Coordinates of all heavy atoms in Angstrom, one line a residue:
S37 N 63.2 142.2 -29.3 CA 63.6 142.5 -30.8 C 64.3 141.3 -31.5 O 64.2 141.0 -32.8 CB 64.5 143.7 -30.9 OG 63.7 144.9 -30.5
C38 N 65.2 140.7 -30.5 CA 65.8 139.5 -31.2 C 64.8 138.3 -31.5 O 65.2 137.4 -32.3 CB 66.9 138.9 -30.2 SG 68.4 140.1 -30.1
R39 N 63.7 138.4 -30.8 CA 62.7 137.4 -31.2 C 61.8 138.0 -32.3 O 60.8 137.3 -32.6 CB 61.7 137.2 -29.9 CG 62.4 136.4 -28.9 CD 61.3 135.9 -27.8 NE 61.9 134.9 -27.0 CZ 62.6 135.2 -25.8 NH1 62.7 136.5 -25.4 NH2 63.0 134.1 -25.1
L40 N 62.3 138.8 -33.1 CA 61.7 139.6 -34.1 C 60.4 140.1 -33.9 O 59.6 140.1 -34.8 CB 61.6 138.4 -35.3 CG 63.0 137.7 -35.7 CD1 62.8 136.6 -36.6 CD2 64.0 138.6 -36.0
R41 N 60.2 140.6 -32.6 CA 58.9 141.2 -32.3 C 59.3 142.6 -31.8 O 60.3 142.9 -31.5 CB 58.2 140.4 -31.3 CG 57.9 138.9 -31.5 CD 57.3 138.2 -30.4 NE 56.0 138.7 -30.1 CZ 54.9 138.3 -30.6 NH1 54.8 137.1 -31.1 NH2 53.7 138.8 -30.1
A63 N 56.4 139.3 -37.3 CA 57.5 138.4 -37.0 C 57.8 137.4 -37.9 O 59.0 137.0 -38.4 CB 57.3 137.7 -35.5
A64 N 56.7 136.8 -38.6 CA 56.9 135.8 -39.7 C 57.6 136.4 -41.0 O 58.4 135.7 -41.5 CB 55.6 135.2 -40.0
Q65 N 57.2 137.6 -41.2 CA 57.9 138.3 -42.2 C 59.3 138.5 -42.1 O 60.2 138.4 -42.9 CB 57.2 139.7 -42.6 CG 55.6 139.5 -43.3 CD 55.0 140.8 -43.4 OE1 55.5 141.8 -43.0 NE2 53.9 140.8 -44.0
R66 N 59.6 138.8 -40.8 CA 61.0 139.2 -40.5 C 61.8 137.9 -40.5 O 63.0 137.8 -41.0 CB 61.1 139.8 -39.2 CG 60.7 141.3 -39.0 CD 60.7 141.7 -37.7 NE 60.5 143.2 -37.6 CZ 60.7 143.9 -36.5 NH1 61.1 143.4 -35.4 NH2 60.4 145.3 -36.6
R67 N 61.2 136.7 -40.0 CA 61.8 135.6 -39.9 C 62.2 135.2 -41.5 O 63.3 134.7 -41.9 CB 61.0 134.4 -39.3 CG 61.6 133.1 -39.3 CD 60.7 132.1 -38.5 NE 60.9 132.1 -37.1 CZ 61.9 131.6 -36.4 NH1 62.9 131.0 -37.1 NH2 62.0 131.7 -35.2
H68 N 61.3 135.2 -42.2 CA 61.4 135.0 -43.8 C 62.5 135.8 -44.3 O 63.3 135.1 -45.2 CB 60.1 135.0 -44.5 CG 60.2 134.8 -46.0 ND1 60.5 133.4 -46.4 CD2 60.0 135.5 -47.0 CE1 60.4 133.4 -47.7 NE2 60.3 134.6 -48.2
A69 N 62.6 137.1 -44.1 CA 63.5 137.9 -44.6 C 65.0 137.7 -44.1 O 66.0 137.7 -44.9 CB 63.2 139.4 -44.4
L70 N 65.2 137.3 -42.8 CA 66.4 137.0 -42.2 C 66.9 135.6 -42.5 O 68.0 135.4 -42.6 CB 66.5 137.2 -40.8 CG 66.3 138.6 -40.3 CD1 66.1 138.7 -38.8 CD2 67.6 139.5 -40.6
G71 N 66.0 134.6 -42.7 CA 66.4 133.3 -42.9 C 66.2 132.5 -41.5 O 66.4 133.1 -40.4
D72 N 66.1 131.2 -41.6 CA 65.8 130.5 -40.4 C 67.1 130.2 -39.5 O 66.9 130.4 -38.3 CB 65.4 129.0 -40.8 CG 64.0 129.0 -41.4 OD1 63.1 129.8 -40.9 OD2 63.5 128.0 -42.1
E73 N 68.2 130.3 -40.1 CA 69.5 130.1 -39.3 C 69.7 131.4 -38.4 O 69.9 131.4 -37.4 CB 70.7 129.8 -40.1 CG 70.8 128.4 -40.7 CD 72.1 128.3 -41.5 OE1 73.1 128.9 -41.1 OE2 72.1 127.4 -42.6
M74 N 69.5 132.7 -39.1 CA 69.8 133.8 -38.4 C 68.6 134.0 -37.3 O 68.9 134.5 -36.3 CB 69.8 135.1 -39.3 CG 69.9 136.2 -38.8 SD 71.5 136.5 -37.8 CE 72.4 137.2 -39.1
A75 N 67.5 133.7 -37.6 CA 66.3 133.8 -36.7 C 66.6 132.8 -35.5 O 66.3 133.3 -34.4 CB 65.1 133.4 -37.3
S76 N 67.0 131.6 -35.7 CA 67.3 130.6 -34.6 C 68.5 131.2 -33.7 O 68.5 131.2 -32.4 CB 67.5 129.3 -35.1 OG 68.7 129.2 -35.8
L78 N 69.3 134.4 -33.4 CA 68.8 135.5 -32.6 C 67.8 135.0 -31.5 O 67.7 135.7 -30.4 CB 68.1 136.5 -33.5 CG 68.8 137.3 -34.6 CD1 68.0 138.0 -35.6 CD2 69.8 138.2 -33.6
G79 N 67.1 133.9 -31.6 CA 66.4 133.3 -30.7 C 67.2 132.9 -29.5 O 66.7 133.0 -28.4

Side-chain angles (χ1 to χ4, degrees):
S37 293
C38 287
R39 286 196 168 87
L40 308 176
R41 301 179 63 102
Q65 288 174 353
R66 287 179 170 188
R67 177 179 279 283
H68 180 67
L70 290 173
D72 286 337
E73 283 185 39
M74 180 62 92
S76 66
L78 287 172

